[in-house]
Amino acid sequence: GQLKSPGELRRLLAEAGFVGGDHVVTHCDGGGRAALAAAAAVRAGFNDFRAYYLSFADWTADESCPVVQDPPGAS
């Protein structure tokens, strides 16, 4: 495949709650999907996306690494 068009990607990211200027770090189990998500965001015109090169499990194994969660009922 191919990535969706920049306009379609912008729409999907907006529906997910992302706005221009957000600092977002993507992650997955091995890094491939995280890199693809970051590439799609850049294609959509967002410029502050990063792909974390390790897994989320690696991040949370280090107690000094913060994890932010939405409060219940937030969306």
Side-chain angles (χ1 to χ4, degrees):
Q2 296 180 348
L3 289 175
K4 295 184 182 294
S5 71
E8 178 70 5
L9 290 168
R10 273 190 297 279
R11 183 187 67 76
L12 291 168
L13 287 164
E15 285 179 5
F18 294 101
V19 295
D22 281 350
H23 174 75
V24 178
V25 178
T26 60
H27 65 85
C28 65
D29 193 41
R33 289 169 292 179
L36 182 58
V42 169
R43 178 175 168 90
F46 290 77
N47 60 9
D48 199 5
F49 270 68
R50 307 282 193 293
Y52 181 61
Y53 72 99
L54 296 173
S55 71
F56 187 65
D58 290 316
W59 179 268
T60 59
D62 181 344
E63 292 182 13
S64 70
C65 295
V67 176
V68 178
Q69 298 177 346
D70 287 337
S75 51

